[in-house]
Amino acid sequence: MTINAKQLEFILDNTPASQNIMLMGKHGIGKSRILEDYFSKKGQKVVTLFLGQMADPSDLIGLPEKNKETGKTDFMMPYWFPNDGSPIVLFLDELNRARPEVLQTIMDLTLNRKLAGKSLPAGSRIISAVNNGNEYQLTDLDPALVSRFNIYEFAPSVEDWISWAKSAGIDERVVSFIEGNPEFLDCYENGEAENLERTPDRRSWERVSEILKKFSEITFELKPLISGIIGSEATSVFFEYAKSEKSLSVKQIFSSDFSLIESELREMGISEITKLNNSFFKYLESFSEDCTENEACKVSENLNKYFDLLPNLSKEYMMHFISLCSASVYPKTLVFITEHCGALYKKILDSISN
C-alpha cells in the first residue's frame, strides 16, 4: 500500500521509537524534508547519514584508537553521535546504496541500538530511506536487515506538495503551474531515456522557484536556464502556460467571485479556452481527494457558471468541455462532478442528447 504525507504522520505518531521504519520511494520526493519538518515541530533532532557516500565502516562507527586505561582497542565516536543523553532520530538515507561492509555495521545498530559497543540514548528512533526501481544502481539488502524495519512505500500526493509549497514560499507561478498540470510534478524516466536526460521532480521545481524569484516576468531568455533543471519538455509546457497565465489561473476561477472574472473569460480565444478546460479537469483530478465541503461547494458553483458561459461564447468550447468528461481519462473528476455538481452533470447529459 502506498502512503501519502498525512498517512506518514499518522504512522510516525503511532509507531513506538523501538520499531524501525523504512520508506521506499523515488528520488526527489521530499522524504528527508518531511521527516525533518515533522520531528523539528516536536523538538527532536534529526541526524541524516548518507550511507551511499560512506567508503567503509569507519565513516559510520569512527576511527579505532587504543584505550590507555584498558590497553584495548576503542573507537572514537563520530561527530553526530549524541553525548548529552538526548534521544535523536537517526535517518539512514540511501540505505540500499551502501557498501555491503557498511550494511554489516547497520545490523547491530538496527537491532540493539548500538554502534561499536556504545548505545544510542533511550528513545532514539531509526528511520531509513531507499530508492526502488530498475533505473537505480542499488545494493541488495540482506533479508535479516530488511526484517528489522516496518516498510512503507511513500509517495506524497500532489496536494501534499502544493500545501507545503505555499507555506514554504515557492514561487506562485510554479505552484499555479503544478495546480493546473499535476502530471509535471514528478516525471521520472521510464528506463528508455538516456541517463542524462533531465525530467522534473519536486526538488528541481524548488530550484526553478529560487531562480524565478529574481524575475518579475518569465522571458524567453530564461528558457535554456530552466531547461537544464526540469528538461526541455516540461520547460516548453511551463513557458506556454506562463504566456497564457498573464490573465487567469484555474485557482483564481474556482475561488473568485465569478462575476468579477467573467469579462476576462469572454475575451479569451479558442486556444486559451481549450487549455483552460484541460486545466480544470487536471486540477480537479487531484483536488477532489482532500477538498473540504466548503471548497467543493465554491468550485461547483463557479464550474456551473463557467459551463453556462461556454455556449454563449461558442458551442465548440462547450463540446470540448463535454468531451473531457471521460471516466477513463479523468475518473476522479467525473466522480466529483456527479457528486458535487448535480445540476452541471444534468446539463452535460442534456447537451449530449440534444
Side-chain angles (χ1 to χ4, degrees), residues 5-150:
K6 289 183 179 179
Q7 291 168 321
L8 174 59
E9 288 190 6
F10 178 84
I11 288 169
L12 295 174
D13 284 338
N14 293 282
T15 301
S18 59
Q19 296 185 19
N20 307 318
I21 292 174
M22 178 186 293
L23 301 178
M24 298 190 305
K26 299 291 186 180
H27 64 276
I29 60 174
K31 297 184 287 292
S32 57
R33 175 183 52 75
I34 290 173
L35 290 174
E36 288 175 4
D37 289 348
Y38 172 86
F39 286 109
S40 65
K41 291 177 183 177
K42 297 181 175 294
Q44 293 181 269
K45 181 181 179 181
V46 178
V47 175
T48 301
L49 301 179
F50 296 97
L51 301 187
Q53 300 176 11
M54 295 183 175
D56 58 60
S58 64
D59 291 338
L60 180 63
I61 64 176
L63 296 173
E65 64 174 349
K66 182 179 180 180
N67 187 313
K68 295 180 179 178
E69 296 180 1
T70 64
K72 297 181 179 180
T73 301
D74 206 344
F75 286 87
M76 294 184 289
M77 284 291 95
Y79 70 94
W80 58 265
F81 197 88
N83 295 317
D84 59 0
S86 300
I88 63 170
V89 179
L90 189 58
F91 180 46
L92 306 176
D93 204 359
E94 303 177 340
L95 181 67
N96 60 342
R97 291 176 181 267
R99 294 171 178 268
E101 54 269 28
V102 174
L103 289 176
Q104 292 301 317
T105 305
I106 298 296
M107 297 286 277
D108 191 33
L109 183 63
T110 54
L111 182 62
N112 301 312
R113 293 295 195 278
K114 288 186 177 182
L115 193 65
K118 293 185 173 62
S119 299
L120 290 175
S124 293
R125 286 181 176 271
I126 296 178
I127 301 175
S128 70
V130 298
N131 295 133
N132 58 326
N134 295 328
E135 65 270 33
Y136 301 108
Q137 296 178 354
L138 306 174
T139 304
D140 290 334
L141 297 178
D142 190 307
L145 176 60
V146 173
S147 69
R148 297 172 188 181
F149 289 90
N150 302 341

Side-chain angles (χ1 to χ4, degrees), residues 4 157-159 284-292 332 336:
N4 59 29
S157 67
V158 175
E159 285 303 310
L284 289 174
E285 193 67 11
S286 57
F287 168 83
S288 58
E289 294 182 356
D290 301 309
C291 66
T292 65
K332 295 177 183 177
F336 177 85

